[in-house]
Amino acid sequence: MTVLCHSDELEEQSARGFEVGGQRLFAVKKDGVIYVYRNSCPHIGIPLEFQPDEFLDLEKQFIQCANHGALFEMETGHCVAGPCVGQTLTAVEFQLDNGLIRIL
Ligand code: FES
């Protein structure tokens, strides 16, 4: 199991990208809850961000793909606007172990 970081290192309404064993992932925190997704947009299967750790829209309400602007709910990864509406980011299973985010 791989540790991404401590949950306290992730600020509220923020995201952080990771590369683990050749896989790109990112974690977001909303209302104190953490969600982890594969960093691959369902539109054309490329990473979502242009700048490191920039995964959210300006209002920090949605995950936003920098490529063509798709918006995803943080809680579900469901795309609610943009070219892949109705599709979903792939959730990654993890455990919180004494606050450490561990990928299973
Ligand atoms: S690659 Fe994400 S919206 Fe096109």
Side-chain angles (χ1 to χ4, degrees):
M1 289 200 289
T2 308
V3 173
L4 296 186
C5 67
H6 194 283
S7 54
D8 288 351
E9 293 175 73
L10 203 54
E11 282 172 35
E12 181 61 29
Q13 312 280 107
S14 78
R16 213 171 138 180
F18 302 91
E19 193 157 343
V20 177
Q23 242 204 114
R24 297 175 72 148
L25 313 172
F26 67 98
V28 293
K29 188 190 260 185
K30 184 178 185 188
D31 298 329
V33 181
I34 289 166
Y35 306 89
V36 182
Y37 296 103
R38 281 188 55 205
N39 184 5
S40 176
C41 182
H43 180 209
I44 51 173
I46 57 176
L48 282 85
E49 88 285 32
F50 287 167
Q51 302 293 329
D53 302 331
E54 296 280 328
F55 290 93
L56 303 184
D57 68 335
L58 280 180
E59 291 79 30
K60 300 186 187 302
Q61 294 302 312
F62 293 96
I63 295 163
Q64 182 169 43
C65 179
N67 297 291
H68 313 107
L71 297 175
F72 304 86
E73 292 177 341
M74 288 194 228
E75 301 93 326
T76 63
H78 194 70
C79 181
V80 294
C84 44
V85 166
Q87 293 183 265
T88 306
L89 293 167
T90 303
V92 175
E93 283 194 76
F94 67 96
Q95 273 179 356
L96 277 180
D97 178 6
N98 285 326
L100 296 174
I101 305 170
R102 278 189 196 275
I103 298 302
L104 300 177

